[in-house]
Amino acid sequence: VIVATYATFASMRALEQLRTFIAYPRLRVIVAAGLGGLSGGIEGVAHLGVEDLGILRCVPGLTILVPADAPETSALVRGAVEVDGPVYLRLGRDDSPVLFDDPVERRIGSGVVLARYGDDAALLTQGLVTAEVLAAAAMLQRSGLDTTVVELPTLKPLDAALVRAAVAETSLVVTVEEHSVVGGLGAAVADVLFDRAIGHRIGLPDQFLESGSPGELRVKFGLTADAIAAHVRVLHATGAGGPRAQARQTARR
Amino acid sequence: MRRSGRVVRRRRGWLTSLAHHAAAIRRDTLDVLSAIGDEHRGHPGASLSIVELITALYFDIMRVDPARPDWPDRDRFVLSKGHGCLALYVALARRGYFDPAELRTFRSVDSLLQGHPDMRRTPGVDMTSGSLGHGLSTGVGLALDARQRGSPARVYVVLGDGELQEGLVWEGAMAAAKYGLANLTALVDVNGLQSGGRVSETMPIEPLAAKWRAFGWRVTSIDGHDLGAIVASAQRAMSQSRPSVILARTVKGKGVAWMEGNNRWHQACPPRDAPSESLATPAPRPEPRLLASTRAAFGDAVLQLLRAGRDLMVVTSDTRSSMGLDAVAREFPDRHVEVGIAEQNLLAVAAGLAAGGRR
């Protein structure tokens, strides 16, 4: 089943229907959302879909696709109908630059390296702003700064391996997205890089939970004092705080 | 006449004067729509059908003071069909809320005049709106606030007819009746058209008068371009003990021969110095080779999947045309469901369709 509406309405007005009645029962519904990002800009805030991805990234089991141009949109629609669960497809409005030759191959869940000028910086991007990022990378190269451009058309599940690989090869990671800096691609990349490198998050898993008393659920999901203390003990012992934590431990010895 | 504690005295020729304001507002609305160009295109049809409603409200019915836009006892206006806001902005400028020179910045960056009404940015705008279906509920809140403060302020809400497909409208209608909000008047711009076509085909809303009556409202039906009728029905609403709705029959694109009733002008840029009688559809601009719309690509991809025999259902919420699905609806009518402007219904219907085991 494919439904068509706009990004603000799909992600906010009908959020509960999407979360509780489509994502929770893992139904195969593709929510196509036009006017994503700045594409509905002339309409003003009511129609500016710039928080949609952050809101929807919290919904367990929802695949989120953000194509960069028309041929990639076609490829992702073909891929989306094979996904065994709900999909959010963020679209634009008017004409935008065509970046890829039709037909283009895209695997859902995989990112692609679009340009590899060098390892001075990694530019991670997605969506319609990808055209600008590619142009920026070319400008930077002409001025002697060689970057790698990584496109992540699947925001969720994010291609964490590609993100880690891109980060490993460079000292500067920059995310560029047509979305609020809260909750979108930058936040998703930060999520990948935070755990083990900087710290660790204890909270509820990215999945639908179940009925239970708050106490029972705290026990089941590790939010009791005992569980938190045990968890922190293990993280500390294994140096999960990343290089900073390890350096401090070394100094203390 | 004395209504609900308000004395209304009219000067001779008031109706002629109102008609003069309406004509000027219509002319200025068209001028701005032409001037801002296709990049900033507004909603001509929806703006022109409410010109008389807005004129009657701001130049006769409503008690407002442009010098004191924050006066606590002023009457309040909510344009629930926020996409028609240019007519409102033109009226506000004409009443002196801001410099008419601002009008040509409509929809441009840094403008006072947002694509949909913004109460914090535009002097004279009482309530933010733009996502359809919310205005009646915010109007209920404004009316409850006035009552609680003991203020004589009255609240006017203009809704579109297609907008009535949003369920929230009826939640607001129930609340207004429950609280007997005599200080609340809704005006429905019944132009019979919405973004994707006829209201009656997209999602029928009739019998409209019976619906409102059943929800506890006093109902009046008028010609929405008859300034005298608008003023008279709004005056009568003031003496009621419950909320009133005025069903104003209008013509989308009213006043421009080649726009009237033609939905091509739902959202578009009218040509400059266009002839007022008839106009052939402007030739499409040549398409640059390396540009394409992702939502059009989406519609094409869905069409190809259906042609390839994929078992799909496609559900739209007055988005068939705007999301590139016209060909899908035409070629596979039994695969297309149109729920009207009702996004919660859209997703819940889709859930049910998918729960049936469909891919």
Side-chain angles (χ1 to χ4, degrees):
Chain A
V1 178
I2 297 178
V3 308
T5 179
Y6 297 160
T8 48
F9 309 143
S11 64
M12 296 186 282
R13 183 181 212 122
L15 176 60
E16 189 180 15
Q17 287 72 28
L18 176 55
R19 180 254 189 197
T20 306
F21 300 96
I22 291 176
Y24 175 35
R26 299 188 299 279
L27 294 172
R28 291 179 72 146
V29 175
I30 299 169
V31 180
L35 275 64
L38 301 177
S39 66
I42 55 172
E43 310 297 340
V45 170
H47 292 67
L48 267 165
V50 294
E51 305 99 353
D52 57 333
L53 304 175
I55 292 167
L56 293 174
R57 222 160 53 81
C58 300
V59 176
L62 179 66
T63 298
I64 302 177
L65 306 176
V66 190
D69 77 347
E72 190 169 76
T73 299
S74 304
L76 292 177
V77 171
R78 290 192 296 272
V81 294
E82 306 300 337
V83 174
D84 189 19
V87 177
Y88 179 79
L89 175 68
R90 191 205 224 202
L91 302 170
R93 183 181 211 181
D94 297 330
D95 284 347
S96 55
V98 172
L99 306 178
F100 309 113
D101 293 332
D102 201 16
V104 61
E105 289 297 317
R106 284 290 181 270
R107 274 202 17 240
I108 287 179
S110 296
V112 280
V113 176
L114 296 186
R116 203 187 283 280
Y117 297 114
D119 59 8
D120 291 338
L123 307 182
L124 278 46
T125 190
Q126 64 177 196
L128 298 180
V129 76
T130 300
E132 304 290 335
V133 174
L134 284 169
M139 289 167 59
L140 288 167
Q141 191 221 6
R142 286 196 293 277
S143 64
L145 209 157
D146 296 334
T147 63
T148 294
V149 178
V150 177
E151 189 212 356
L152 296 154
T154 303
L155 176 62
K156 190 179 178 181
L158 194 69
D159 188 344
L162 183 61
V163 169
R164 286 200 194 90
V167 167
E169 292 165 9
T170 180
S171 55
L172 177 62
V173 180
V174 179
T175 58
V176 184
E177 60 193 307
E178 203 168 298
H179 184 274
S180 161
V181 292
V182 178
L185 177 68
V189 168
D191 283 354
V192 168
L193 302 182
F194 179 83
D195 286 347
R196 307 224 145 259
I198 296 163
H200 192 84
R201 292 165 299 171
I202 297 175
L204 300 171
D206 180 24
Q207 67 186 53
F208 286 105
L209 307 185
E210 60 189 298
S211 300
S213 71
E216 290 167 343
L217 291 170
R218 277 217 180 84
V219 169
K220 176 154 183 173
F221 293 103
L223 289 181
T224 60
D226 282 350
I228 295 165
H231 204 146
V232 172
R233 216 172 280 127
V234 170
L235 290 168
H236 188 259
T238 56
R244 215 161 42 98
Q246 282 162 15
R248 194 174 305 142
Q249 274 182 344
T250 312
R252 209 180 294 155
R253 281 187 207 114
Chain B
M1 60 192 133
R2 190 178 173 85
R3 300 277 192 213
S4 198
R6 277 204 202 168
V7 181
V8 180
R9 288 198 193 85
R10 295 186 189 292
R11 282 196 308 259
R12 197 201 301 255
W14 65 275
L15 197 54
T16 309
S17 159
L18 265 191
H20 172 74
H21 284 303
I25 289 170
R26 179 162 279 119
R27 184 196 62 223
D28 289 355
T29 298
L30 271 169
D31 279 354
V32 172
L33 285 167
S34 295
I36 61 175
D38 191 53
E39 185 185 354
H40 298 104
R41 64 192 181 276
H43 294 82
S47 303
L48 293 173
S49 65
I50 58 170
V51 166
E52 280 76 16
L53 296 177
I54 299 273
T55 304
L57 287 166
Y58 274 94
F59 290 86
D60 189 291
I61 300 163
M62 285 172 53
R63 210 170 52 147
V64 294
D65 179 0
R68 291 182 295 158
D70 295 330
W71 176 32
D73 287 338
R74 73 191 186 278
D75 287 350
R76 310 299 162 102
F77 178 68
V78 181
L79 184 61
S80 191
K81 48 165 286 183
H83 57 295
C85 57
L86 182 55
L88 170 63
Y89 297 160
V90 170
L92 291 174
R94 194 171 174 80
R95 283 240 41 187
Y97 282 95
F98 51 83
D99 183 350
E102 294 283 345
L103 290 170
R104 290 190 173 216
T105 66
F106 177 46
R107 295 189 156 223
S108 289
V109 79
D110 292 333
S111 174
L112 276 186
L113 307 175
Q114 294 295 291
H116 288 79
D118 178 337
M119 63 183 280
R120 294 294 182 212
R121 213 184 252 255
T122 309
V125 169
D126 295 312
M127 190 67 218
T128 293
S129 63
S131 174
L132 293 174
H134 292 84
L136 191 59
S137 296
T138 56
V140 165
L142 286 164
L144 284 168
D145 169 65
R147 172 191 284 182
Q148 197 277 332
R149 287 188 289 117
S151 167
R154 297 190 55 84
V155 180
Y156 296 91
V157 180
V158 166
L159 302 112
D161 51 356
E163 179 180 16
L164 303 186
Q165 294 159 354
E166 291 278 15
L168 179 54
V169 172
W170 303 100
E171 298 176 28
M174 275 189 280
K178 175 190 171 187
Y179 286 100
L181 294 176
N183 57 348
L184 176 65
T185 301
L187 303 97
V188 183
D189 171 27
V190 187
N191 65 31
L193 291 170
Q194 57 191 107
S195 173
R198 292 180 196 287
V199 173
S200 59
E201 290 165 7
T202 308
M203 179 55 65
I205 56 172
E206 294 291 350
L208 214 42
K211 274 199 178 87
W212 284 97
R213 217 169 277 129
F215 273 77
W217 285 59
R218 179 180 177 279
V219 184
T220 319
S221 293
I222 60 166
D223 173 351
H225 299 301
D226 181 338
L227 290 158
I230 300 166
V231 170
S233 54
Q235 288 292 347
R236 275 196 302 277
M238 290 183 195
S239 60
Q240 305 300 316
S241 56
R242 54 187 175 144
S244 295
V245 60
I246 298 169
L247 302 178
R249 289 181 311 279
T250 60
V251 176
K252 198 163 177 177
K254 174 70 177 177
V256 184
W258 39 270
M259 256 187 213
E260 288 190 0
N262 179 352
N263 221 28
R264 182 195 178 297
W265 300 101
H266 173 78
Q267 181 162 28
C269 172
R272 275 170 216 263
D273 306 320
S276 60
E277 280 311 306
S278 67
L279 185 88
T281 305
R285 289 175 307 170
E287 293 291 307
R289 272 186 56 219
L290 291 175
L291 292 177
S293 152
T294 56
R295 59 177 179 169
F298 154 73
D300 287 343
V302 174
L303 183 62
Q304 298 310 325
L305 285 165
L306 281 164
R307 283 181 178 165
R310 190 90 199 186
D311 182 17
L312 282 174
M313 290 295 285
V314 178
V315 197
T316 54
S317 50
D318 197 17
T319 47
R320 189 194 65 226
S321 300
S322 66
M323 291 292 285
L325 295 166
D326 279 328
V328 165
R330 209 167 36 238
E331 213 172 299
F332 297 93
D334 62 324
R335 295 295 177 150
H336 174 235
V337 177
E338 170 62 62
V339 299
I341 308 172
E343 295 76 15
Q344 297 179 325
N345 196 35
L346 172 79
L347 279 268
V349 166
L353 280 166
R358 199 180 287 271
R359 302 294 159 88

